[in-house]
Structures are given as C-alpha cells and as structure tokens.
Amino acid sequence: MKIFAVYSSKGGVGKTATAVNLSYCAARQGHRVLLCDIDAQGAASYYFRVKAARSFSGKKLLGGGFDKYIRASDYENLDLLPAHFSFRNLDLALAKLEASTRRRALKNLFDSLSDHYDVLVMDCPPNITLLSENIILAADSVVTPVIPTTLSLVALKQLLKIFRKVGAEEKRINAFFSMVEPRKLMHKDVVEKFQHYPIFRDTQIPFQAEIEKMGIYRQPVGAVSPTSVAAQRYQELWQELWDRSELI
C-alpha cells in the first residue's frame, strides 16, 4: 500500500481539491483507495457527502478501532474515513502516547490497512505540529501544492525543515505548482525560477472554475467535467506521482 499525504503548512493552496481528485483518479485506474480526511474541517468528507458517525473520535482513531467508521463513496474502489470535529485535538492525544511510539502512531495505524487497500491518501490540516511529524513519517510521498507566491514558497521551506528535524528523506517530497494563473506576472516569474528544481513535479494545476465548483456539485472534477483541463491535469499529476512512487 502506497501512502500519499497531501500536506502544506499554508492553508488555501488546494490541498483538499488535490486529495479528492487524486483519490478519484487512483480509483478510476483500478486501485483500491482509502481517502483519510484527518483535517477536522472535514472538507474532503463534505465533497463526498459523507459524515462521520457521532460515536467516532480522534481517540478511537488513534486507538486503532476505526475500521467500522470507514464508509464507501459513490465511486467504485474509493472508500473514505471521514473527519471528526475531535480531530482538532489529535496533537494533544498524540502527546499523551509513549515517547517511543508517538511520532509513528499514524504509520502504525495505517499498516493494518495494507491488505485492504493499494493506495491511501491523507487530506492533512495546515499546521506545523506533532501531527505534521506523524504525517511525514507515515507517508511514502508528501504531495505539496505550492501557489506561485512568496508565502507558499515559505511553507515549502518549512516543510524541508520538518523533514530534516524528523530525519525523513527529502526525495519523498513531491511539490507541484497549484492554482497557477499565467497572466499574473508573479506566478509566471516564480514558476520559471523554480519549476526546474528537483523537488517540483512537471504537472501544474491551473486556477480553474471547475475546481471551485467542486463545492457546488460535491464531486471530483473528473466526475463532473471529465474532459476539462482541470480533470486532465489531475490525471496527469496522479500518473506522475504514481510512477515516481514506484521508483522509491
């Protein structure tokens, strides 16, 4: 099972749209996919019209008894572990674990799913905490959307610092430019300057109305507008990430 964590310490860079559409593309390719919405805001769960059971909680997630809370989506091969509001306290719960296990708690949890799924995608909250360290250590690939702006690049530098702190291999970072608007001079200049860096993947996701409308239709872009540029780019991004994951 390959684990992809869609993560950035900066909000509003397209994490949830990326997690939802990559999960959809992977499932369409025939992989058995579990999308884990570990962001307490629950945006990925909203897109798939799935609500967590009231009895679910972050404590039960970390305790390992979460299988019964996994829900099927409307799409073949694609299941969802919905977010719960209590996930906002996951850091506090992780801090109470024994020091020898607290950094790898998520990885240990997800190992139990390897017989059931080929791909696990995490939609991660935008923070820099103990949970972030867990996410990085659990993931085979940390997928990082970067808007071509200064603050988004700062968030990428922060991610590199966390990788060094926890001793993770930087080759597992897969950054890509997100919400790109070529008519904006800053976007054009930033892309030209950084696109050739090894940390960036070739595929760029443009700023498109189809992606914004996911909130209206509550479906992946590929399900609503399969021939749109946005849908095609997410498919290309998924293929690029999957091919790269096979080499690591």
Side-chain angles (χ1 to χ4, degrees):
M1 182 177 72
K2 299 286 187 181
I3 300 178
F4 296 83
V6 184
Y7 170 81
S8 172
S9 60
K10 187 178 185 312
V13 297
K15 287 188 300 296
T16 297
T18 301
V20 167
N21 285 294
L22 291 182
S23 298
Y24 176 78
C25 291
R28 289 271 295 171
Q29 208 171 53
H31 299 295
R32 298 169 298 169
V33 180
L34 176 64
L35 172 58
C36 292
D37 187 358
I38 56 174
D39 186 344
Q41 296 181 69
S45 307
Y46 176 84
Y47 281 142
F48 283 108
R49 305 169 187 266
V50 175
K51 288 184 178 179
R54 288 186 178 181
S55 57
F56 191 31
S57 67
K59 184 177 180 181
K60 288 185 177 177
L61 172 68
L62 295 179
F66 60 89
D67 291 23
K68 65 181 180 181
Y69 298 106
I70 292 174
R71 298 287 183 263
S73 74
D74 293 334
Y75 307 99
E76 188 177 4
N77 295 325
L78 178 51
D79 292 343
L80 177 73
L81 181 66
H84 190 274
F85 191 57
S86 63
F87 286 5
R88 70 193 189 283
N89 296 321
L90 278 177
D91 278 299
L92 296 175
L94 286 167
K96 293 178 181 177
L97 300 178
E98 292 184 11
S100 60
T101 59
R102 70 174 57 133
R103 269 188 172 179
R104 294 184 177 274
L106 283 185
K107 180 171 178 53
N108 294 336
L109 284 178
F110 294 151
D111 281 348
S112 66
L113 299 170
S114 59
D115 290 337
H116 304 285
Y117 296 100
D118 306 311
V119 173
L120 186 150
V121 178
M122 283 188 278
D123 185 25
C124 307
N127 53 32
I128 306 174
T129 63
L130 182 56
L131 177 59
S132 309
E133 296 177 6
N134 259 267
I135 289 165
I136 288 168
L137 290 172
D140 299 299
S141 172
V142 177
V143 182
T144 306
V146 179
I147 299 175
T149 61
T150 304
L151 288 180
S152 206
L153 290 170
V154 169
L156 182 57
K157 290 180 181 177
Q158 290 172 336
L159 177 61
L160 286 165
K161 286 183 180 179
I162 301 174
F163 262 69
R164 290 165 192 152
K165 178 185 175 185
V166 302
E169 296 177 303
E170 293 179 9
K171 65 181 181 181
R172 292 193 288 110
I173 301 177
N174 288 290
F176 70 94
F177 283 113
S178 171
M179 302 169 69
V180 178
E181 296 184 79
R183 62 185 174 81
K184 289 186 175 179
L185 184 58
M186 173 179 276
H187 282 207
K188 183 180 177 183
D189 289 346
V190 169
V191 169
E192 286 181 356
K193 183 175 181 180
F194 292 98
Q195 179 68 72
H196 68 281
Y197 280 43
I199 200 171
F200 279 98
R201 303 286 68 81
D202 293 335
T203 306
Q204 300 172 16
I205 302 298
F207 185 88
Q208 292 271 306
E210 285 85 356
I211 300 173
E212 288 189 310
K213 290 177 181 176
M214 286 174 60
I216 299 174
Y217 299 118
R218 299 178 72 176
Q219 297 182 70
V221 173
V224 178
S225 305
T227 60
S228 65
V229 172
Q232 293 172 17
R233 290 293 179 84
Y234 278 121
Q235 180 59 48
E236 292 168 8
L237 179 62
W238 163 249
Q239 194 62 57
E240 190 175 7
L241 294 170
W242 177 255
D243 291 346
R244 185 175 172 81
S245 75
E246 294 285 84
L247 301 175
I248 297 177

